[in-house]
Amino acid sequence: MATALHNLSDYDFSKVPDASNMCFGIVVAEWNSEITGALLDGAVKTLKKHGALPENIHVKTVPGSFELIYGAHQMVLNGGYDALIILGCVVRGDTPHFDFICQGVTYGIAKLNTTSEIPIIYGLLTTNNLQQAKDRAGGRLGNKGDECAVDAIKMAKF
Ligand code: DLZ
């Protein structure tokens, strides 16, 4: 969780394994694309910083966060990945829709983690407003995409 005391982009570089022999899949939602685009930029940049080759980072887009489950499942079935990252942003609205999407994606990705042979890193921002999302997508609290990339490398090595 990002807080005033924890920046999502802060980590110990020396504790992250070399990623030059690893292959990553990223599924990114088009909804709130200003935010998810920034998350994607952060994730790709951080994977490359640790040696991942551009040709070993495969990005697929889906319409909204709910489709991240299907997208990740298809990438698992395609095979060839050491880890996957899902990136989405759900902003609370006036109806309970927010809760259903957040719960659905969280449950779906959690289940996929127990049934797949590779780890799937959870990069879903669930915020009360757009400003909270901006703060966590390269803003004052860092970039959730950076955090997901570091976690993907560590879990690929796990
Ligand atoms: C419908 C919807 C709404 C209201 N809000 C968001 C959102 O904030 N973030 C997001 O990624 N997707 C949203 N969606 C779209 C759903 O995730 C999904 O794409 C549609 O319900 C179709 O399955």
Side-chain angles (χ1 to χ4, degrees):
M1 187 173 69
T3 68
L5 296 177
H6 173 70
N7 186 297
L8 291 160
S9 300
D10 286 347
Y11 63 95
D12 184 345
F13 192 96
S14 68
K15 290 204 172 130
V16 183
D18 173 53
S20 54
N21 288 320
M22 296 177 181
C23 188
F24 300 95
I26 303 177
V27 196
V28 55
E30 289 169 350
W31 257 81
N32 298 315
S33 59
E34 179 196 350
I35 302 296
T36 60
L39 298 177
L40 179 63
D41 286 348
V44 170
K45 196 182 70 197
T46 302
L47 289 174
K48 287 180 181 169
K49 205 189 286 181
H50 291 279
L53 301 174
E55 60 267 33
N56 288 336
I57 303 171
H58 301 174
V59 179
K60 302 286 277 183
T61 58
V62 293
S65 290
F66 195 74
E67 286 73 46
L68 290 168
I69 309 162
Y70 180 85
H73 189 214
Q74 290 305 307
M75 288 188 101
V76 167
L77 294 179
N78 283 348
Y81 298 108
D82 296 294
L84 299 181
I85 299 170
I86 61 111
L87 298 173
C89 171
V90 194
V91 179
R92 190 182 287 281
D94 296 332
T95 71
H97 204 82
F98 171 89
D99 302 290
F100 291 117
I101 295 181
C102 295
Q103 283 169 17
V105 177
T106 303
Y107 177 75
I109 297 300
K111 188 166 176 221
L112 212 46
N113 264 295
T114 61
T115 54
S116 307
E117 303 215 333
I118 56 168
I120 299 143
I121 306 303
Y122 178 83
L124 184 70
L125 288 180
T126 58
T127 62
N128 291 324
N129 54 55
L130 197 56
Q131 187 56 50
Q132 288 181 341
K134 286 180 180 172
D135 290 345
R136 292 157 176 79
R140 68 183 182 91
L141 297 174
N143 191 326
K144 182 81 178 168
D146 295 344
E147 183 194 62
C148 287
V150 168
D151 292 350
I153 297 168
K154 287 182 174 174
M155 289 308 295
K157 180 83 176 172
F158 183 80

